[in-house]
Amino acid sequence: MPKDNSSRGRRLAVLISGPGTNLQALIDAQNTPVLPNTSMVLVLSNRKVACGLARATTASPPIPTAYLACQPYTREDYDLELARIVLWAKPDLVVLAGWMHIVSRFWRFLGGPRGSMTRSGLHRSYPQINIHLALPGRFDGANAIQRALGVMVRRVVAEVDMGEPLIVREVPIEKGESIKMYEERLHRVEWEIILQATKKVPDKVRPLLPESMDLA
């Protein structure tokens, strides 16, 4: 299990499946004015070769990582084990940053309306957010970049890509722009809004105290 990497301030757990460019934006912003008094306590991947794991281990200071393959678990047992690992890190927010796994049951175990995990006896709710390359109500699911026309961060709920949009940005294709150029521009917006949402949600759930009042 990952070890504690932060005893005070905001604690983030980040779930990834690939290169980790959104993760890198979070790493670069932690403990800056963009994400003040914030530390990542876990980066978890469902793919062993995800480059984002290397980004975490080479960060300064290194971020605890975990890898959880889908096999040999059943779907429900996988999501339960995933929730247990995340709970061990005691995050204030779970960020799905390029996480390619449907988490309906994970949401129920970890961040449902009552935050219940009946099979483990844990009953705290943890807010979760997900970055999505689409505008609300359009192109739910994966492989959306060539039809996105925008990007948003939304809350994670049981239904796939149906959570409340928190930040939405239209990114129209410019005249004469190639898909590659558009993708690069879209990702820059993606990095910007994932930082904004990562600050916004904990501000509502657990506002930071002035340093003189921090009792952690």
Side-chain angles (χ1 to χ4, degrees):
M1 290 293 184
K3 295 182 180 180
D4 188 352
N5 193 43
S6 174
S7 59
R8 63 191 299 275
R10 299 280 174 62
R11 301 167 60 87
L12 304 181
V14 183
L15 275 55
I16 64 167
S17 295
T21 55
N22 289 312
L23 169 66
Q24 189 64 56
L26 292 163
I27 291 172
D28 294 343
Q30 63 179 341
N31 289 319
T32 72
V34 178
L35 290 178
N37 202 13
T38 299
S39 296
M40 271 177 273
V41 294
L42 174 66
V43 172
L44 185 147
S45 176
N46 61 341
R47 296 178 180 174
K48 190 173 185 178
V49 296
C51 295
L53 292 175
R55 292 180 188 267
T57 56
T58 58
S60 181
I63 302 164
T65 61
Y67 160 63
L68 185 65
C70 293
Q71 299 295 332
Y73 297 97
T74 65
R75 178 61 182 276
E76 184 161 312
D77 285 343
Y78 179 86
D79 292 329
L80 179 59
E81 183 62 21
L82 178 65
R84 284 176 173 156
I85 294 172
V86 173
L87 282 165
W88 185 270
K90 300 178 182 178
D92 296 302
L93 176 67
V94 181
V95 181
L96 280 61
W99 172 251
M100 303 304 293
H101 174 78
I102 297 173
V103 291
S104 298
R105 295 183 180 89
F106 173 48
W107 176 87
R108 187 182 74 226
F109 291 142
L110 188 63
R114 297 182 182 178
S116 60
M117 287 183 64
T118 55
R119 289 174 62 183
S120 66
L122 299 169
H123 298 282
R124 178 178 169 182
S125 179
Y126 291 81
Q128 302 171 57
I129 61 174
N130 180 39
I131 189 81
H132 186 50
L133 294 173
L135 298 175
R138 301 183 64 185
F139 309 128
D140 299 326
N143 303 317
I145 194 163
Q146 294 188 12
R147 53 191 180 172
L149 299 181
V151 61
M152 64 180 154
V153 177
R154 66 194 327 163
R155 292 187 185 276
V156 176
V157 297
E159 296 78 20
V160 178
D161 290 328
M162 294 299 291
E164 171 197 358
L166 298 169
I167 300 176
V168 178
R169 290 281 185 85
E170 291 189 19
V171 187
I173 298 176
E174 297 178 350
K175 185 176 181 179
E177 187 175 37
S178 67
I179 290 296
K180 182 179 179 180
M181 294 170 61
Y182 177 68
E183 182 177 348
E184 291 174 352
R185 190 161 55 87
L186 191 66
H187 283 315
R188 287 195 294 270
V189 176
E190 189 179 19
W191 302 331
E192 179 182 343
I193 69 170
I194 199 170
L195 296 178
Q196 293 174 356
T198 299
K199 183 176 186 301
K200 178 180 180 179
V201 172
D203 277 349
K204 290 184 177 181
V205 175
R206 181 175 173 246
L208 283 174
L209 295 173
E211 187 169 347
S212 60
M213 296 177 61
D214 193 343
L215 302 180

